[in-house]
């Protein structure tokens, strides 16, 4: 997953939010279900912190999000991150979802 933590500058959130984007396509929705997540890396701060300006359009925001996805998918193939696939926390999560 790739996750945004903070005050989304595009939507002017009044409260800090956590927005995970699961990098897997599911056959059905699972709204209301509990997610167990492991944060194992950091890509970048919120864009507002970098450029002190909002995204000019939803398209530019989406392009940045897809860039983050590419970075995360490549990183997950690195030896440092591969070990998390075998972590007991992740295995336990999978067993509970079956």
């Amino acid at each position: 997953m790739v996750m945004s933590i903070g005050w989304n500058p595009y939507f002017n959130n009044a409260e800090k939010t956590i927005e995970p984007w699961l990098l897997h396509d599911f056959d059905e929705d699972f709204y209301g279900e509990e997610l167990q997540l492991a944060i194992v890396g950091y890509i970048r701060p919120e864009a507002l912190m970098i450029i002190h300006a909002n995204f000019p359009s939803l398209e530019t925001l989406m392009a940045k999000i897809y860039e983050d996805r590419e970075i995360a998918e490549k990183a997950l193939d690195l030896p440092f991150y591969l070990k998390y696939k075998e972590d007991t926390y992740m295995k336990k999560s999978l067993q509970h979802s079956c």
Side-chain angles (χ1 to χ4, degrees):
M1 63 110 184
V2 175
M3 181 168 60
S4 170
I5 301 174
W7 292 267
N8 187 316
Y10 185 81
F11 295 106
N12 296 316
N13 291 12
E15 297 180 3
K16 187 181 241 185
T17 61
I18 297 173
E19 302 172 19
W21 178 22
L22 305 178
L23 304 178
H24 176 80
D25 293 324
F26 294 90
D27 293 333
E28 56 189 58
D29 291 335
F30 49 92
Y31 290 102
E33 296 295 325
E34 182 178 317
L35 290 177
Q36 291 183 273
L37 307 171
I39 301 170
V40 298
Y42 177 81
I43 296 174
R44 63 177 174 84
E46 289 280 358
L48 189 61
M49 300 289 203
I50 299 171
I51 59 175
H52 302 290
N54 211 335
F55 287 100
S57 69
L58 185 57
E59 290 76 22
T60 56
L61 171 61
M62 294 302 297
K64 191 62 171 174
I65 291 170
Y66 277 92
E67 180 183 318
D68 293 345
R69 178 185 182 145
E70 288 180 32
I71 292 168
E73 286 176 331
K74 288 177 183 173
L76 289 172
D77 288 333
L78 297 174
F80 179 81
Y81 295 107
L82 281 173
K83 65 185 175 187
Y84 293 104
K85 287 184 180 181
E86 300 303 319
D87 187 89
T88 55
Y89 175 80
M90 300 308 291
K91 295 285 187 182
K92 180 180 174 187
S93 298
L94 287 173
Q95 290 170 355
H96 286 198
S97 65
C98 298

